[in-house]
Amino acid sequence: MKKVMPIVLSAGLVFGLSLASADSVEAKAKVYKNCTELNKAYKGGVAKSSSVKNKGGKTKYKPYVSKALYDANKGKDRDKDGIACER
């Protein structure tokens, strides 16, 4: 019994962690209807990487960096600079 318990606990831990990581990978980025809706959640918009520079001029807020979220809302990047809905 003493040898079985650690094996069962280890298997449960490994199985539980694999399910948690699979859920986070499968979670889809939210697609917003328009920039007003996206800016309520992310004031500075969404950038595809931290190295992207804004081509549209001065902005008030720093964009949130997320490739998955940017890809889901790519159509809202009017000036094609890698930042969707920048303000």
Side-chain angles (χ1 to χ4, degrees):
M1 184 68 176
K2 287 184 181 181
K3 291 182 182 180
V4 174
M5 195 62 153
I7 294 171
V8 171
L9 288 174
S10 297
L13 183 61
V14 169
F15 182 70
L17 288 177
S18 65
L19 283 180
S21 63
D23 288 342
S24 62
V25 170
E26 291 175 12
K28 292 184 179 184
K30 183 174 179 180
V31 178
Y32 291 91
K33 280 194 300 188
N34 52 39
C35 282
T36 304
E37 191 177 296
L38 188 141
N39 287 138
K40 286 180 184 176
Y42 305 101
K43 285 189 176 192
V46 178
K48 67 179 170 182
S49 75
S50 59
S51 63
V52 200
K53 300 293 179 203
N54 181 17
K55 294 180 185 173
K58 285 189 174 184
T59 57
K60 289 183 181 180
Y61 306 102
K62 188 174 179 180
Y64 177 77
V65 178
S66 171
K67 181 163 175 32
L69 192 58
Y70 175 81
D71 288 342
N73 295 283
K74 194 174 192 174
K76 293 167 189 63
D77 184 7
R78 288 189 233 155
D79 55 1
K80 307 295 182 213
D81 62 353
I83 306 170
C85 301
E86 63 264 27
R87 297 193 324 171

Coordinates of all heavy atoms in Angstrom, one line a residue:
M1 N 0.8 -1.2 0.0 CA 0.0 0.0 0.0 C 0.9 1.3 0.0 O 0.5 2.2 -0.6 CB -0.9 0.0 1.2 CG -1.9 1.1 1.3 SD -3.1 0.9 -0.1 CE -4.1 2.3 0.3
K2 N 2.0 1.2 0.7 CA 2.9 2.4 0.8 C 3.5 2.7 -0.5 O 3.8 3.8 -0.9 CB 4.0 2.2 1.9 CG 3.4 2.3 3.3 CD 4.6 2.1 4.3 CE 4.0 2.2 5.7 NZ 5.1 2.1 6.7
K3 N 3.7 1.7 -1.4 CA 4.4 1.9 -2.7 C 3.3 2.4 -3.7 O 3.7 3.1 -4.6 CB 5.0 0.6 -3.2 CG 6.2 0.2 -2.4 CD 6.9 -1.0 -3.0 CE 8.1 -1.4 -2.1 NZ 8.7 -2.6 -2.7
V4 N 2.1 2.0 -3.6 CA 1.1 2.3 -4.5 C 0.6 3.8 -4.4 O 0.4 4.4 -5.4 CB -0.2 1.3 -4.3 CG1 -1.3 1.7 -5.2 CG2 0.3 -0.1 -4.6
M5 N 0.5 4.3 -3.2 CA 0.0 5.6 -3.0 C 0.8 6.7 -3.7 O 0.3 7.5 -4.4 CB 0.0 5.9 -1.5 CG -0.8 7.1 -1.1 SD -2.5 6.8 -1.7 CE -3.4 7.8 -0.6
P6 N 2.2 6.7 -3.6 CA 2.9 7.7 -4.4 C 2.7 7.6 -5.9 O 2.7 8.6 -6.6 CB 4.4 7.5 -4.0 CG 4.3 6.7 -2.7 CD 3.1 5.9 -2.7
I7 N 2.6 6.4 -6.4 CA 2.4 6.2 -7.8 C 1.1 6.8 -8.2 O 1.0 7.5 -9.3 CB 2.5 4.7 -8.2 CG1 3.9 4.2 -8.0 CG2 2.1 4.5 -9.6 CD1 4.1 2.7 -8.1
V8 N 0.0 6.5 -7.5 CA -1.3 7.0 -7.8 C -1.3 8.6 -7.7 O -1.9 9.2 -8.6 CB -2.4 6.4 -6.8 CG1 -3.7 7.1 -7.0 CG2 -2.5 4.9 -7.0
L9 N -0.7 9.1 -6.7 CA -0.6 10.6 -6.5 C 0.2 11.2 -7.7 O -0.2 12.3 -8.2 CB 0.0 11.0 -5.2 CG -0.9 10.7 -4.0 CD1 -0.1 11.0 -2.7 CD2 -2.1 11.6 -4.0
S10 N 1.3 10.6 -8.1 CA 2.1 11.2 -9.2 C 1.3 11.1 -10.5 O 1.3 12.1 -11.3 CB 3.3 10.3 -9.3 OG 4.1 10.5 -8.2
A11 N 0.6 10.0 -10.7 CA -0.2 9.9 -12.0 C -1.3 10.9 -12.0 O -1.6 11.5 -13.0 CB -0.8 8.5 -12.1
G12 N -1.9 11.1 -10.9 CA -3.0 12.1 -10.8 C -2.5 13.5 -11.0 O -3.1 14.3 -11.7
L13 N -1.3 13.8 -10.5 CA -0.7 15.1 -10.7 C -0.3 15.4 -12.1 O -0.6 16.4 -12.7 CB 0.5 15.3 -9.8 CG 1.2 16.6 -9.8 CD1 0.3 17.7 -9.3 CD2 2.5 16.6 -8.9
V14 N 0.3 14.4 -12.8 CA 0.7 14.5 -14.2 C -0.5 14.6 -15.1 O -0.6 15.5 -15.9 CB 1.5 13.3 -14.6 CG1 1.7 13.3 -16.1 CG2 2.9 13.3 -13.9
F15 N -1.6 13.8 -14.8 CA -2.8 13.9 -15.6 C -3.5 15.2 -15.4 O -3.9 15.8 -16.4 CB -3.7 12.7 -15.2 CG -5.0 12.7 -16.0 CD1 -4.9 12.3 -17.3 CD2 -6.2 13.0 -15.4 CE1 -6.1 12.3 -18.1 CE2 -7.4 13.0 -16.2 CZ -7.3 12.6 -17.5
G16 N -3.5 15.7 -14.2 CA -4.2 17.0 -13.9 C -3.5 18.2 -14.6 O -4.1 19.1 -15.2
L17 N -2.1 18.2 -14.6 CA -1.4 19.2 -15.2 C -1.5 19.2 -16.7 O -1.6 20.2 -17.4 CB 0.1 19.1 -14.8 CG 0.4 19.5 -13.4 CD1 1.9 19.3 -13.1 CD2 0.1 21.0 -13.1
S18 N -1.6 18.0 -17.3 CA -1.7 17.9 -18.8 C -3.1 18.4 -19.2 O -3.2 19.0 -20.3 CB -1.5 16.5 -19.2 OG -2.5 15.6 -18.8
L19 N -4.1 18.2 -18.4 CA -5.4 18.7 -18.8 C -5.5 20.3 -18.7 O -6.0 20.9 -19.5 CB -6.5 18.2 -17.8 CG -7.0 16.7 -18.1 CD1 -8.0 16.3 -17.1 CD2 -7.5 16.6 -19.5
A20 N -4.8 20.8 -17.7 CA -4.8 22.3 -17.5 C -4.1 22.9 -18.7 O -4.5 23.9 -19.2 CB -4.1 22.6 -16.2
S21 N -2.9 22.4 -19.1 CA -2.2 23.0 -20.2 C -3.0 22.8 -21.5 O -2.9 23.7 -22.4 CB -0.8 22.4 -20.3 OG -0.9 21.0 -20.6
A22 N -3.7 21.7 -21.7 CA -4.5 21.5 -22.9 C -5.6 22.5 -23.0 O -5.9 23.0 -24.1 CB -5.0 20.1 -23.0
D23 N -6.2 22.8 -21.8 CA -7.3 23.8 -21.8 C -6.8 25.2 -22.2 O -7.4 25.9 -22.9 CB -8.0 23.9 -20.5 CG -8.8 22.7 -20.2 OD1 -9.1 21.9 -21.1 OD2 -9.1 22.4 -19.0
S24 N -5.6 25.6 -21.7 CA -5.1 26.9 -22.0 C -4.7 27.1 -23.5 O -4.8 28.1 -24.1 CB -3.9 27.3 -21.1 OG -2.9 26.4 -21.3
V25 N -4.2 26.0 -24.1 CA -3.8 26.0 -25.5 C -5.1 26.1 -26.4 O -5.1 26.8 -27.4 CB -3.0 24.7 -25.9 CG1 -2.8 24.7 -27.3 CG2 -1.7 24.8 -25.1
E26 N -6.1 25.4 -26.0 CA -7.3 25.4 -26.8 C -8.2 26.7 -26.6 O -9.1 26.9 -27.4 CB -8.2 24.2 -26.4 CG -7.6 22.9 -26.8 CD -8.3 21.7 -26.4 OE1 -9.5 21.9 -25.9 OE2 -7.8 20.6 -26.5
A27 N -7.9 27.5 -25.6 CA -8.7 28.7 -25.4 C -8.4 29.6 -26.5 O -7.3 29.9 -26.9 CB -8.3 29.3 -24.0
K28 N -9.5 30.1 -27.1 CA -9.4 31.0 -28.3 C -9.4 32.4 -27.8 O -10.1 32.8 -26.8 CB -10.6 30.7 -29.2 CG -10.5 29.4 -29.9 CD -11.6 29.2 -30.9 CE -11.5 27.9 -31.5 NZ -12.5 27.7 -32.6
A29 N -8.7 33.3 -28.6 CA -8.7 34.7 -28.3 C -10.0 35.3 -28.7 O -10.6 34.9 -29.7 CB -7.5 35.3 -29.1
K30 N -10.5 36.3 -27.9 CA -11.8 36.9 -28.2 C -11.7 37.8 -29.4 O -10.8 38.5 -29.6 CB -12.2 37.7 -27.0 CG -13.6 38.3 -27.1 CD -14.1 39.0 -25.9 CE -15.4 39.5 -26.1 NZ -16.0 40.2 -25.0
V31 N -12.7 37.7 -30.3 CA -12.8 38.5 -31.4 C -13.8 39.6 -31.0 O -15.0 39.3 -30.7 CB -13.3 37.7 -32.7 CG1 -13.5 38.7 -33.8 CG2 -12.4 36.6 -33.0
Y32 N -13.4 40.9 -31.1 CA -14.2 42.0 -30.8 C -14.9 42.5 -32.0 O -14.4 42.5 -33.1 CB -13.4 43.1 -30.1 CG -12.8 42.7 -28.8 CD1 -11.6 42.1 -28.6 CD2 -13.6 43.0 -27.6 CE1 -11.2 41.7 -27.3 CE2 -13.1 42.6 -26.4 CZ -11.9 42.0 -26.2 OH -11.5 41.6 -25.0
K33 N -16.1 43.1 -31.8 CA -16.9 43.6 -32.9 C -16.3 44.9 -33.6 O -16.3 45.0 -34.8 CB -18.3 44.1 -32.4 CG -19.3 42.9 -32.3 CD -20.7 43.4 -32.1 CE -20.9 44.3 -30.9 NZ -22.3 44.7 -30.6
N34 N -15.7 45.7 -32.7 CA -15.1 47.0 -33.2 C -14.0 47.4 -32.2 O -13.8 46.9 -31.2 CB -16.2 48.0 -33.4 CG -17.0 48.2 -32.2 OD1 -16.6 48.2 -31.1 ND2 -18.3 48.4 -32.4
C35 N -13.4 48.5 -32.6 CA -12.3 49.1 -31.8 C -12.8 49.6 -30.4 O -12.1 49.5 -29.4 CB -11.5 50.1 -32.5 SG -10.3 49.4 -33.7
T36 N -14.0 50.2 -30.4 CA -14.5 50.7 -29.2 C -14.7 49.6 -28.1 O -14.3 49.8 -27.0 CB -15.9 51.4 -29.5 OG1 -15.8 52.3 -30.5 CG2 -16.5 52.0 -28.2
E37 N -15.2 48.5 -28.6 CA -15.3 47.3 -27.7 C -13.9 46.8 -27.2 O -13.7 46.5 -26.1 CB -16.1 46.2 -28.4 CG -16.6 45.1 -27.5 CD -17.4 44.1 -28.3 OE1 -18.5 44.4 -28.8 OE2 -16.9 42.9 -28.4
L38 N -13.0 46.7 -28.1 CA -11.7 46.2 -27.8 C -11.0 47.2 -26.9 O -10.3 46.8 -25.9 CB -10.8 46.0 -29.1 CG -9.5 45.4 -28.9 CD1 -9.2 44.4 -30.0 CD2 -8.4 46.3 -28.8
N39 N -11.1 48.5 -27.1 CA -10.5 49.5 -26.2 C -11.0 49.5 -24.8 O -10.4 50.0 -23.9 CB -10.5 50.9 -26.9 CG -9.6 51.0 -28.0 OD1 -9.9 51.6 -29.1 ND2 -8.4 50.4 -27.9
K40 N -12.2 49.0 -24.6 CA -12.8 48.9 -23.2 C -12.0 48.0 -22.4 O -11.7 48.2 -21.2 CB -14.2 48.5 -23.3 CG -15.2 49.6 -23.7 CD -16.6 49.1 -23.7 CE -17.5 50.2 -24.3 NZ -18.9 49.7 -24.4
A41 N -11.5 46.9 -23.0 CA -10.7 45.9 -22.4 C -9.2 46.2 -22.4 O -8.5 46.0 -21.4 CB -10.9 44.5 -23.0
Y42 N -8.7 46.8 -23.5 CA -7.3 47.0 -23.7 C -7.2 48.5 -24.3 O -7.3 48.7 -25.4 CB -6.7 46.1 -24.7 CG -6.9 44.6 -24.4 CD1 -7.9 43.9 -25.0 CD2 -6.1 44.0 -23.4 CE1 -8.1 42.5 -24.6 CE2 -6.3 42.7 -23.0 CZ -7.3 42.0 -23.6 OH -7.5 40.7 -23.3
K43 N -7.0 49.4 -23.3 CA -7.0 50.9 -23.7 C -6.0 51.2 -24.8 O -6.3 52.1 -25.7 CB -6.7 51.7 -22.5 CG -7.8 51.8 -21.5 CD -7.6 52.8 -20.5 CE -8.8 53.0 -19.6 NZ -8.7 54.1 -18.7
G44 N -4.8 50.6 -24.8 CA -3.8 51.0 -25.8 C -3.9 50.1 -27.1 O -3.1 50.2 -28.0
G45 N -4.9 49.3 -27.2 CA -5.0 48.4 -28.3 C -4.2 47.1 -28.1 O -3.8 46.8 -26.9
V46 N -4.0 46.3 -29.1 CA -3.3 45.0 -29.0 C -2.2 44.9 -30.0 O -2.5 45.1 -31.2 CB -4.3 43.8 -29.2 CG1 -3.6 42.5 -29.1 CG2 -5.4 43.9 -28.2
A47 N -1.0 44.7 -29.6 CA 0.2 44.6 -30.5 C 0.5 43.1 -30.6 O 0.3 42.3 -29.7 CB 1.4 45.3 -29.9
K48 N 1.0 42.7 -31.8 CA 1.4 41.3 -32.1 C 2.7 41.0 -31.4 O 2.9 39.8 -31.2 CB 1.4 41.0 -33.6 CG 2.4 41.7 -34.4 CD 2.3 41.2 -35.8 CE 3.1 42.0 -36.8 NZ 3.0 41.7 -38.1
S49 N 3.6 41.9 -31.2 CA 4.8 41.6 -30.4 C 5.3 42.9 -29.8 O 4.9 44.0 -30.1 CB 5.9 41.1 -31.4 OG 6.5 42.1 -32.2
S50 N 6.2 42.8 -28.8 CA 6.7 44.0 -28.1 C 7.6 44.8 -28.9 O 7.9 46.0 -28.5 CB 7.4 43.5 -26.8 OG 8.4 42.7 -27.1
S51 N 8.1 44.3 -30.0 CA 9.1 45.1 -30.8 C 8.4 45.9 -31.9 O 9.1 46.7 -32.6 CB 10.1 44.1 -31.5 OG 9.4 43.3 -32.4
V52 N 7.1 45.9 -31.9 CA 6.4 46.7 -33.0 C 6.3 48.2 -32.6 O 6.2 48.5 -31.4 CB 4.9 46.2 -33.1 CG1 4.3 46.6 -34.4 CG2 4.8 44.7 -32.9
K53 N 6.5 49.0 -33.6 CA 6.4 50.5 -33.4 C 5.2 51.0 -34.0 O 4.8 50.6 -35.1 CB 7.7 51.1 -33.9 CG 9.0 50.6 -33.3 CD 9.1 51.0 -31.9 CE 10.4 50.5 -31.3 NZ 10.4 50.4 -29.9
N54 N 4.6 52.0 -33.4 CA 3.4 52.6 -33.9 C 3.7 53.6 -35.0 O 4.6 54.5 -34.9 CB 2.7 53.4 -32.8 CG 1.4 54.1 -33.2 OD1 0.9 53.7 -34.3 ND2 0.9 55.0 -32.5
K55 N 3.1 53.4 -36.2 CA 3.3 54.3 -37.3 C 2.3 55.4 -37.4 O 2.5 56.3 -38.2 CB 3.2 53.5 -38.6 CG 4.3 52.4 -38.8 CD 4.1 51.7 -40.1 CE 5.1 50.6 -40.2 NZ 4.9 49.7 -41.4
G56 N 1.3 55.4 -36.6 CA 0.2 56.3 -36.7 C 0.4 57.6 -35.9 O -0.5 58.5 -35.9
G57 N 1.5 57.8 -35.3 CA 1.7 59.1 -34.5 C 1.7 58.8 -33.0 O 1.9 57.7 -32.6
K58 N 1.5 59.9 -32.2 CA 1.5 59.7 -30.8 C 0.2 59.0 -30.3 O -0.8 59.1 -30.8 CB 1.5 61.1 -30.1 CG 2.8 61.8 -30.2 CD 2.8 63.0 -29.4 CE 4.2 63.6 -29.3 NZ 4.2 64.8 -28.4
T59 N 0.5 58.2 -29.2 CA -0.7 57.5 -28.6 C -0.6 57.8 -27.1 O 0.4 58.1 -26.5 CB -0.6 56.0 -28.8 OG1 0.7 55.5 -28.3 CG2 -0.7 55.6 -30.3
K60 N -1.8 57.7 -26.5 CA -1.9 57.9 -25.0 C -1.5 56.7 -24.2 O -0.9 56.8 -23.1 CB -3.3 58.3 -24.6 CG -3.8 59.6 -25.1 CD -5.2 59.8 -24.6 CE -5.7 61.1 -25.0 NZ -7.1 61.4 -24.5
Y61 N -1.8 55.5 -24.7 CA -1.6 54.3 -23.9 C -0.7 53.3 -24.6 O -0.6 53.3 -25.8 CB -3.0 53.6 -23.7 CG -4.0 54.5 -23.1 CD1 -5.0 55.1 -23.9 CD2 -4.0 54.8 -21.7 CE1 -5.9 55.9 -23.3 CE2 -4.9 55.6 -21.2 CZ -5.9 56.2 -22.0 OH -6.9 57.0 -21.4
K62 N 0.0 52.5 -23.8 CA 0.8 51.4 -24.3 C 0.0 50.2 -24.6 O -0.9 49.8 -23.9 CB 1.8 51.0 -23.2 CG 2.9 50.1 -23.7 CD 3.9 49.8 -22.6 CE 4.9 48.9 -23.1 NZ 6.0 48.6 -22.1
P63 N 0.2 49.6 -25.8 CA -0.7 48.5 -26.2 C -0.3 47.2 -25.4 O 0.8 47.0 -25.0 CB -0.3 48.3 -27.7 CG 1.0 48.9 -27.9 CD 1.1 50.0 -26.9
Y64 N -1.4 46.3 -25.3 CA -1.2 45.0 -24.7 C -0.6 44.1 -25.8 O -1.0 44.1 -26.9 CB -2.6 44.5 -24.3 CG -2.6 43.1 -23.7 CD1 -2.2 42.9 -22.4 CD2 -3.0 42.1 -24.5 CE1 -2.2 41.6 -21.9 CE2 -3.1 40.8 -23.9 CZ -2.6 40.6 -22.6 OH -2.6 39.3 -22.1
V65 N 0.4 43.3 -25.4 CA 1.1 42.4 -26.4 C 0.5 41.0 -26.3 O 0.6 40.4 -25.2 CB 2.6 42.4 -26.1 CG1 3.3 41.5 -27.1 CG2 3.2 43.8 -26.2
S66 N -0.1 40.5 -27.4 CA -0.6 39.2 -27.5 C -0.7 38.8 -28.9 O -1.6 39.4 -29.6 CB -1.9 39.0 -26.8 OG -2.5 37.8 -27.0
K67 N 0.1 37.9 -29.4 CA 0.0 37.5 -30.8 C -1.4 36.9 -31.2 O -2.0 37.2 -32.2 CB 1.1 36.5 -31.2 CG 1.1 36.1 -32.7 CD 2.3 35.5 -33.1 CE 2.3 35.0 -34.5 NZ 1.5 35.6 -35.5
A68 N -1.9 36.0 -30.3 CA -3.1 35.3 -30.5 C -4.3 36.3 -30.5 O -5.2 36.3 -31.4 CB -3.4 34.3 -29.4
L69 N -4.3 37.3 -29.6 CA -5.4 38.3 -29.6 C -5.3 39.2 -30.8 O -6.3 39.6 -31.4 CB -5.3 39.1 -28.3 CG -6.5 40.0 -27.9 CD1 -7.8 39.2 -27.9 CD2 -6.2 40.7 -26.6
Y70 N -4.0 39.6 -31.2 CA -3.9 40.4 -32.4 C -4.4 39.7 -33.6 O -5.1 40.2 -34.4 CB -2.4 40.8 -32.6 CG -2.2 41.6 -33.8 CD1 -2.4 42.9 -33.9 CD2 -1.7 40.9 -35.0 CE1 -2.3 43.6 -35.1 CE2 -1.5 41.6 -36.2 CZ -1.8 42.9 -36.2 OH -1.6 43.6 -37.4
D71 N -4.0 38.4 -33.8 CA -4.4 37.6 -34.9 C -5.9 37.5 -35.0 O -6.5 37.5 -36.1 CB -3.7 36.2 -34.9 CG -2.3 36.3 -35.2 OD1 -1.8 37.3 -35.8 OD2 -1.6 35.3 -34.9
A72 N -6.6 37.4 -33.9 CA -8.0 37.3 -33.9 C -8.7 38.6 -34.3 O -9.8 38.6 -34.8 CB -8.5 36.9 -32.5
N73 N -8.0 39.7 -34.1 CA -8.6 41.1 -34.4 C -7.7 41.8 -35.4 O -7.7 43.0 -35.4 CB -8.7 41.9 -33.1 CG -9.7 41.2 -32.1 OD1 -10.9 41.4 -32.3 ND2 -9.2 40.5 -31.1
K74 N -7.0 41.1 -36.3 CA -6.1 41.7 -37.2 C -6.8 42.7 -38.2 O -6.2 43.6 -38.6 CB -5.5 40.5 -38.1 CG -4.3 40.9 -38.8 CD -3.7 39.6 -39.5 CE -2.4 39.9 -40.1 NZ -1.7 38.7 -40.6
G75 N -8.0 42.4 -38.5 CA -8.8 43.3 -39.4 C -9.0 44.7 -38.8 O -9.3 45.7 -39.6
K76 N -8.8 44.9 -37.6 CA -8.9 46.2 -36.9 C -7.7 47.0 -36.9 O -7.6 48.1 -36.4 CB -9.5 46.1 -35.5 CG -10.9 45.5 -35.5 CD -11.3 45.0 -34.2 CE -12.6 44.3 -34.2 NZ -12.6 43.0 -35.0
D77 N -6.6 46.5 -37.5 CA -5.3 47.3 -37.7 C -5.3 48.0 -39.0 O -4.9 47.5 -40.0 CB -4.2 46.3 -37.6 CG -2.8 47.0 -37.6 OD1 -2.8 48.2 -37.5 OD2 -1.8 46.2 -37.7
R78 N -5.9 49.2 -39.0 CA -6.1 49.9 -40.2 C -4.8 50.3 -40.9 O -4.7 50.3 -42.1 CB -6.9 51.2 -40.0 CG -8.3 50.9 -39.7 CD -9.1 52.2 -39.7 NE -9.9 52.2 -38.4 CZ -10.3 53.3 -37.8 NH1 -10.0 54.5 -38.4 NH2 -10.9 53.3 -36.7
D79 N -3.8 50.8 -40.1 CA -2.5 51.2 -40.8 C -1.5 50.1 -40.9 O -0.4 50.4 -41.3 CB -1.9 52.4 -40.0 CG -1.7 52.1 -38.5 OD1 -2.0 51.0 -38.1 OD2 -1.3 53.0 -37.8
K80 N -1.9 48.9 -40.6 CA -1.0 47.7 -40.8 C 0.4 47.8 -40.1 O 1.4 47.4 -40.7 CB -0.9 47.3 -42.3 CG -2.2 47.2 -43.0 CD -3.0 46.1 -42.6 CE -4.2 46.0 -43.4 NZ -5.4 45.5 -42.7
D81 N 0.4 48.4 -38.9 CA 1.7 48.6 -38.2 C 1.9 47.5 -37.2 O 2.9 47.5 -36.5 CB 1.8 49.9 -37.6 CG 0.7 50.2 -36.6 OD1 -0.2 49.4 -36.4 OD2 0.8 51.3 -35.9
G82 N 1.0 46.5 -37.0 CA 1.1 45.5 -36.0 C 0.5 45.8 -34.7 O 0.6 45.0 -33.8
I83 N -0.3 46.9 -34.6 CA -1.0 47.2 -33.4 C -2.5 47.5 -33.8 O -2.8 48.4 -34.6 CB -0.5 48.5 -32.7 CG1 1.0 48.3 -32.5 CG2 -1.2 48.8 -31.4 CD1 1.7 49.6 -32.0
A84 N -3.4 46.7 -33.3 CA -4.8 46.8 -33.6 C -5.5 47.8 -32.6 O -5.3 47.7 -31.4 CB -5.5 45.5 -33.6
C85 N -6.2 48.8 -33.1 CA -7.0 49.7 -32.3 C -6.1 50.5 -31.4 O -6.5 50.8 -30.2 CB -8.1 49.0 -31.6 SG -9.2 48.1 -32.6
E86 N -5.0 51.0 -31.8 CA -4.1 51.8 -30.9 C -4.8 53.2 -30.6 O -5.5 53.7 -31.5 CB -2.7 52.0 -31.4 CG -2.6 52.7 -32.7 CD -2.5 51.8 -33.9 OE1 -3.0 50.7 -33.9 OE2 -2.0 52.3 -35.0
R87 N -4.6 53.7 -29.4 CA -5.1 55.0 -29.0 C -4.0 55.8 -28.4 O -3.2 55.3 -27.6 CB -6.2 54.9 -28.0 CG -7.4 54.2 -28.5 CD -8.7 54.4 -27.7 NE -8.4 54.4 -26.2 CZ -9.4 54.7 -25.4 NH1 -10.5 55.0 -25.7 NH2 -9.1 54.8 -24.1

